[in-house]
């Protein structure tokens, strides 16, 4: 009997433990409502609540003003020697928002030109490009198509933008009596000044332009549909100050002492300092305590690693020699023989460019090297001129929607696959064996920029964290690429930073990644320290499928049709016919036994529906929304030479892995880049009123907190880490910008405006609230705001999505 009593007691205890284990997440036992930072650097203050007249113990914002600085793409992958070809033109923007902090309990204010202020920008130690940093304006190209390369403005910097035009201004004004002959073409009618972007903003510094509620820097282009012309492209999101498309390089002024021929890997500084000052409308700096209001941000730029494989002893170079290609070898010999100051890197860079063109001529029957002169001191491609890849390959990144591009000179342009699809498809097939031990391709990080802030880590052979060596060989074939580093992603971004802590605010897909990818090693064994995600965990079929399924009525509540708020079992059932293996191929594509699920998807990719087409009573083409009940679906590839690559359909979404309201804005405001009833791109999205997501979280691929290990040589990027510390309440916290940056807060880091509400002592619930708040909500009285977004709902979201 006694034994039975012990047995029963043991069963009851185990049952109770099991019950409490189940109950714990529901009750939020692991839910710590305190902020993940201290308030050490904030000044204590006592203020009176205007309603209750009670004294509130508060803390002043650290800064009287905050200028949040970012770049919309995260890392611009661009060459600096455009003598032979231009894959992507130089184009780095400095974007900013400025907030006057709410001191003494007042509400913060997002500033615009109406507040009689201006923002002045410059780049630290980087004031020019053309010359010993870049060949772009000095590269000849027939812009006006008259057969001459001697006319004013006949250069590549003007040529690459000629497909964009305006009629009157950069505000999108379209005259009723417009005609093609009245178009003002960028690069042709409005020439791009040396060391400036296509909008005329100089690299050396100047004032940022402000984009109003409708967005800014609006240019036009034509589509593939003959009847659809004057497609407006908004290059700048609303309520953002920016200097558009600066021709930035990764080289600092103080480093570049010799000619461009002397550049080596050690010269690269990929995380550039962009500085922005607050001025009054007369141009005088605004001073606080006698000091200028000035902040800096990260402007990332680097070169793709073509040189590693396509020259020297790289794989492509070896195969080229075996196939009888000789011109790239002659290119290398010319530079090494005739110029004593030519570095090994620059000789290989030129050789790799010729190798790429040789391969292209052979594989696709082009004639880019028909006039190549291996002994010419300049313009080595002769009448052909430098090759602009977007002449044949549609490219949405540069706004070239037509295929081939009108105005092409030097060679006959052909209709080809979209630029990014072509590049990725060829390399996915050619580099199918370039994987880590888990079977995930390392080619993404191998090809995309991998230079480091510390120049001593830019030796590809000796840096133990570099994913490839100086000839493009995979150094992580028997390891996990997520433990490698360098470049725009690995060992840098919050998604690959092992030091990040909950809450992650994940939905069921995000939790699937956390369990099956982020906390498992290359042998699929659980690990205690986060390994995080890699490129193909976001850029994959699952992102496309989730986007395709969406037909949202409300982006924050996720009303309407979506899978993003469903269980993982429901998602697998609908997208993968209930097959977990098939879903894993979509979400975490790995190459095994010759099977490459990601390549198969991209190779057979069908673009999303852009619009539906019908005809009106007169027989004219009438375009309707993608989800209209009538009309014939028109996929992106019918309207855009770039298909849907690098537009909202093909880009990963925060909403794919994160629980609402940690999601993007509703699309449609930047059509055709995004669409109504779909999520917009992160770089266009806002929360907490008109505050850009990027203002608080930083640019994609560099999201706070970035990995930073101190001043040691293995640090990836100190720049973005130091940027985050400008807003830190304790000098240590470097996560997303907290409420305390702009608000007077209580001891819990919660804005004093919420004192007296249930949000008062719950930092994380208040974080949920600010993400709920969309444009216009910031104007609501507190009582109405918390009625619209009640505390219990916000608290429940924290509990359910803590990890």
């Amino acid at each position: 009997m006694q034994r039975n009593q012990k047995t029963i007691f043991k069963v009851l205890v185990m049952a109770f433990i099991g019950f409490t284990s189940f109950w714990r997440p529901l009750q939020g036992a692991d839910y710590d409502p305190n902020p993940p930072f201290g308030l050490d650097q904030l000044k204590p203050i006592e203020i009176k609540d205007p309603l209750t007249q009670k004294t509130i113990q508060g803390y002043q914002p650290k800064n009287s003003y905050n200028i949040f600085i970012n770049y919309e793409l995260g890392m611009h992958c661009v060459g600096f020697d455009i003598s032979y070809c231009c894959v992507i033109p130089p184009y780095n923007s400095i974007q900013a928002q400025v907030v006057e902090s709410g001191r003494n309990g007042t509400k913060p204010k997002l500033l615009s030109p109406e507040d009689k202020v201006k923002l002045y920008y410059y780049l630290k130690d980087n004031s020019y490009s053309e010359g010993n940093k870049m060949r772009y304006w000095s590269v000849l190209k027939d812009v006006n198509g008259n057969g001459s390369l001697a006319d004013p403005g006949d250069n590549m910097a003007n040529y690459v933008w000629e497909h964009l035009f305006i009629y009157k201004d950069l505000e999108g004004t379209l005259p009723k009596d417009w005609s093609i002959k009245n178009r003002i073409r960028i690069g042709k009618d409005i020439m791009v000044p040396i060391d400036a972007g296509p909008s005329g903003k100089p690299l050396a510094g100047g004032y940022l332009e402000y984009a109003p509620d409708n967005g800014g820097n609006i240019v036009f282009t034509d589509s593939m549909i003959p009847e659809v012309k004057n497609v407006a492209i908004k290059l700048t999101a609303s309520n953002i100050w920016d200097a558009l498309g600066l021709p930035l390089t990764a080289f600092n002024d103080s480093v570049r002492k010799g000619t461009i021929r002397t550049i080596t890997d050690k010269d690269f500084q990929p995380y550039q300092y962009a500085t922005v000052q607050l001025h009054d409308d007369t141009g005088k700096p605004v001073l606080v305590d006698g000091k200028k209001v000035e902040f800096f941000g990260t402007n990332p730029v680097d070169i793709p690693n073509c040189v590693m494989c396509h020259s020297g002893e790289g794989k492509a170079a070896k195969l080229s020699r075996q196939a009888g290609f000789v011109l790239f070898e002659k290119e290398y010999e010319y530079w090494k023989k005739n110029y004593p100051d030519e570095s090994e890197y620059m000789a290989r860079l030129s050789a790799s460019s010729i190798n790429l063109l040789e391969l292209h001529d052979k594989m696709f029957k082009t004639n880019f090297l028909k006039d190549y002169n291996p002994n010419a001191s300049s313009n080595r491609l002769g009448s052909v001129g430098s090759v602009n890849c977007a002449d044949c390959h549609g490219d949405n990144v540069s706004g070239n929607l037509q295929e081939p591009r009108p105005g092409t000179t030097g060679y006959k342009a052909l209709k080809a696959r979209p630029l990014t699809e072509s590049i990725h498809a060829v390399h996915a097939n050619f580099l199918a064996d370039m994987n880590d031990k888990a079977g995930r391709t390392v080619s993404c990080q191998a090809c995309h920029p991998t230079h480091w802030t510390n120049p001593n880590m830019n030796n590809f052979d000796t840096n133990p964290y570099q994913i490839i060596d100086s000839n493009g060989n995979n150094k992580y074939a028997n390891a996990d690429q997520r433990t490698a580093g360098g470049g725009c992603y690995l060992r840098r971004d919050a998604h690959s930073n092992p030091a990040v802590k909950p809450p992650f605010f994940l939905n069921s897909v995000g939790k699937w990644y956390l369990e099956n990818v982020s906390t498992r090693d290359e042998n699929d064994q659980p690990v205690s320290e986060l390994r995080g995600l890699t490129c193909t965990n976001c850029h994959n079929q699952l992102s496309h499928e989730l986007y395709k399924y969406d037909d949202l009525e409300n982006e924050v509540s996720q009303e309407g049709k979506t899978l993003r708020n469903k269980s993982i079992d429901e998602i697998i059932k609908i997208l993968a016919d209930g097959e977990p293996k098939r879903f894993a191929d979509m979400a975490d594509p790995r190459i095994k036994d010759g099977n490459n699920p990601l390549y198969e998807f991209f190779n057979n990719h069908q673009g999303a529906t852009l619009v539906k087409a019908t005809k009106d009573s007169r027989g004219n083409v009438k375009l309707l929304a993608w989800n209209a009940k009538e009309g014939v679906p028109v996929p992106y590839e019918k309207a855009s030479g770039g298909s849907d690559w690098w537009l909202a359909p093909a880009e990963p979404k925060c909403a794919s892995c994160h629980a609402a309201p940690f999601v993007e804005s509703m699309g449609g405001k930047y059509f055709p880049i995004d669409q109504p009833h779909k999520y917009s791109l992160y770089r266009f999205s806002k929360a907490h009123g008109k505050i850009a997501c990027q203002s608080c979280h930083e640019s994609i691929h560099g999201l706070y907190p970035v990995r930073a290990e101190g001043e040691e040589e293995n640090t990836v990027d100190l720049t973005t880490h130091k940027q985050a510390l400008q807003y830190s309440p304790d000098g240590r916290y470097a996560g997303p910008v907290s409420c305390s940056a702009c608000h007077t807060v209580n001891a819990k880091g919660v804005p004093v405006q919420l004192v007296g509400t249930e949000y008062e002592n719950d930092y994380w619930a208040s974080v949920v609230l600010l993400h709920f708040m969309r444009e216009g909500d910031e104007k609501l009285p507190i009582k109405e705001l918390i009625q619209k977004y009640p505390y219990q709902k916000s608290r429940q979201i924290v509990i359910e999505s803590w990890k």
Side-chain angles (χ1 to χ4, degrees), residues 292-305:
K292 295 177 182 179
V293 176
E294 178 179 282
F295 289 78
F296 73 87
T298 312
N299 215 279
V301 59
D302 202 352
I303 188 173
N305 286 332

Side-chain angles (χ1 to χ4, degrees), residues 477-786:
N478 294 309
D480 186 345
Q481 66 173 303
R482 293 171 296 174
T483 61
C488 60
Y489 188 71
L490 295 181
R491 287 175 71 86
R492 178 173 184 250
D493 186 273
H495 290 105
S496 60
N497 183 353
V500 294
K501 304 294 183 186
F504 300 147
F505 296 111
L506 300 175
N507 60 19
S508 65
V509 173
K511 290 176 181 177
W512 184 93
Y513 275 115
L514 183 65
E515 179 183 348
N516 294 281
V517 180
S518 295
T519 54
R520 293 185 182 272
D521 64 14
E522 65 272 25
N523 299 308
D524 284 327
Q525 296 301 307
V527 287
S528 58
E529 185 179 74
L530 283 173
R531 289 288 176 90
L533 303 173
T534 190
C535 308
T536 54
N537 293 134
C538 296
H539 297 274
N540 57 31
Q541 182 178 357
L542 180 60
S543 291
H544 287 256
E545 299 293 349
L546 291 172
Y547 179 92
K548 182 178 179 181
Y549 196 89
D550 282 343
D551 191 354
L552 297 162
E553 296 299 327
N554 185 294
E555 79 277 23
V556 181
S557 65
Q558 295 188 327
E559 296 171 43
K561 181 185 175 186
T562 189
L563 289 174
R564 302 178 194 271
N565 56 7
K566 301 296 189 292
S567 70
I568 196 66
D569 290 337
E570 290 178 272
I571 295 171
I572 292 174
K573 181 179 179 180
I574 292 172
L575 295 186
D577 296 325
E579 299 176 20
K581 171 63 171 64
R582 185 176 171 188
F583 175 80
D585 283 346
M586 293 181 182
D588 184 27
R590 306 194 203 185
I591 301 172
K592 292 184 178 179
D593 302 322
N595 177 43
N596 187 337
L598 189 63
Y599 174 70
E600 290 301 320
F601 168 69
F602 284 139
N603 196 43
N604 299 302
H605 173 70
Q606 297 294 315
T609 298
L610 174 64
V611 292
K612 285 188 176 177
T614 185
K615 292 187 177 181
D616 60 20
S617 57
R618 297 182 179 180
N620 297 320
V621 174
K622 181 181 178 182
L623 300 180
L624 306 172
W626 68 271
N627 59 351
K629 297 186 182 299
E630 60 175 307
V632 177
V634 178
Y636 270 86
E637 55 260 34
K638 292 293 184 182
S640 163
S643 188
D644 59 7
W645 302 108
W646 303 127
L647 300 179
E651 290 298 271
K653 302 290 180 296
C654 304
S656 295
C657 292
H658 292 282
F662 298 90
V663 295
E664 292 90 345
S665 300
M666 184 74 88
K669 192 171 183 179
Y670 302 94
F671 181 84
I673 299 176
D674 62 15
Q675 295 184 329
H677 298 278
K678 302 282 191 181
Y679 280 114
S680 185
L681 291 172
Y682 168 77
R683 65 187 177 103
F684 290 141
S685 295
K686 307 283 197 305
H688 204 37
K690 295 180 179 179
I691 300 293
C693 296
Q694 293 192 137
S695 287
C696 295
H697 290 271
E698 240 298 325
S699 303
I700 199 67
H701 298 159
L703 297 167
Y704 299 140
V706 293
R707 184 168 185 161
E709 298 139 335
E711 298 286 348
E712 310 98 67
E713 64 179 5
N714 63 339
T715 296
V716 172
D717 171 28
L718 286 176
T719 315
T720 312
H721 180 70
K722 290 177 178 178
Q723 177 183 350
L725 293 178
Q726 294 173 115
Y727 319 103
S728 177
D730 59 10
R732 297 177 299 276
Y733 171 77
V737 175
S738 69
C739 308
S740 62
C742 301
H743 288 265
T744 306
V745 297
N746 66 7
K748 297 287 187 180
V750 176
V752 294
Q753 284 84 6
L754 294 173
V755 170
T757 74
E758 291 180 287
Y759 282 99
E760 178 179 356
N761 294 308
D762 193 331
Y763 174 77
W764 291 112
S766 68
V767 169
V768 175
L769 173 63
L770 75 87
H771 284 83
F772 265 125
M773 294 172 63
R774 300 300 164 118
E775 192 168 333
D777 285 336
E778 75 278 10
K779 299 176 183 178
L780 294 175
I782 294 298
K783 185 176 180 180
E784 292 182 29
L785 181 67
I786 61 177

Side-chain angles (χ1 to χ4, degrees), residues 131-441:
N132 65 353
K133 295 182 185 179
M134 176 179 280
R135 293 182 179 125
Y136 189 35
W137 282 268
S138 58
V139 175
L140 299 180
K141 196 67 180 175
D142 182 9
V143 176
N144 57 22
N146 67 357
S148 169
L149 297 176
D151 298 323
D154 270 350
N155 60 57
M156 202 64 170
N158 286 316
Y159 179 82
V160 298
W161 299 113
E162 201 261 340
H163 58 277
L164 300 178
F165 53 89
I166 60 175
Y167 287 97
K168 182 180 179 180
D169 50 42
L170 284 170
E171 298 173 7
T173 301
L174 180 62
K176 291 183 179 180
D177 59 345
W178 71 270
S179 66
I180 292 178
K181 67 178 183 179
N182 290 333
R183 290 175 172 177
I184 304 170
R185 292 201 171 269
I186 311 298
K188 189 174 183 180
D189 302 308
I190 304 176
M191 295 183 187
V192 181
I194 292 179
D195 293 332
S199 68
K201 288 294 177 185
L203 186 65
Y207 284 100
L208 302 176
E209 293 294 324
Y210 182 76
D213 290 342
N214 190 45
N217 286 310
I218 303 171
V219 296
F220 296 101
T221 191
D222 286 334
S223 75
M224 293 283 287
I225 303 174
E227 297 89 346
V228 180
K229 300 186 183 299
N230 300 323
V231 178
I233 298 179
K234 298 177 184 178
L235 299 175
T236 306
S238 61
N239 311 116
I240 298 287
W241 305 73
D242 86 343
L244 184 78
L246 302 176
L248 184 64
T249 66
F251 310 120
N252 291 339
D253 294 353
S254 58
V255 173
R256 296 305 310 126
K257 298 302 183 183
T259 69
I260 194 173
R261 296 188 296 270
T262 63
I263 289 174
T264 70
D265 275 312
K266 277 199 168 187
D267 291 322
F268 285 85
Q269 284 291 290
Y271 305 106
Q272 289 290 314
Y273 277 73
T275 304
V276 178
Q277 293 178 350
L278 181 64
H279 289 188
D280 64 25
D281 59 352
T282 68
K284 294 181 180 178
V286 174
L287 304 179
V288 174
D289 297 329
K291 297 181 180 179
K292 295 177 182 179
V293 176
E294 178 179 282
F295 289 78
F296 73 87
T298 312
N299 215 279
V301 59
D302 202 352
I303 188 173
N305 286 332
C306 310
V307 64
M308 304 302 176
C309 291
H310 287 275
S311 69
E313 295 303 312
K315 183 177 180 179
K318 286 181 177 180
L319 291 175
S320 295
R321 291 189 192 99
Q322 293 172 15
F325 293 101
V326 297
L327 296 185
F328 78 103
E329 297 277 57
K330 291 184 177 181
E331 184 69 19
Y332 175 85
E333 292 168 2
Y334 169 81
W335 291 106
K336 295 297 287 185
K337 177 182 178 181
N338 293 292
Y339 297 94
D341 64 343
E342 180 83 1
S343 69
E344 178 69 10
Y345 177 83
M346 289 301 294
R348 286 187 61 179
L349 182 65
S350 296
S352 66
S353 298
I354 294 299
N355 181 247
L356 288 167
L357 294 177
E358 275 190 285
L359 288 168
H360 201 287
D361 280 355
K362 178 69 174 178
M363 295 172 66
F364 302 107
K365 310 303 180 186
T366 49
N367 291 295
F368 296 138
L369 294 178
K370 68 182 181 69
D371 290 341
Y372 172 70
N373 183 350
N375 297 309
S377 59
S378 62
N379 192 25
R380 294 170 63 77
L381 300 186
S383 63
V384 170
S386 181
V387 177
N388 179 38
C389 299
D391 284 340
C392 299
H393 301 275
D395 177 32
N396 294 325
V397 175
S398 61
N400 177 35
L401 306 187
Q402 291 188 290
E403 202 178 56
R405 190 179 86 122
T408 297
T409 62
Y411 39 78
K412 182 181 179 180
L414 304 172
K415 180 175 171 56
R417 295 171 75 180
L419 181 58
T420 190
E421 181 182 349
S422 297
I423 293 173
H424 287 88
V426 168
H427 286 84
N429 188 38
F430 186 70
L431 302 176
D433 60 344
M434 196 168 182
N435 314 306
D436 67 6
K437 191 176 182 181
R440 299 182 181 105
T441 179

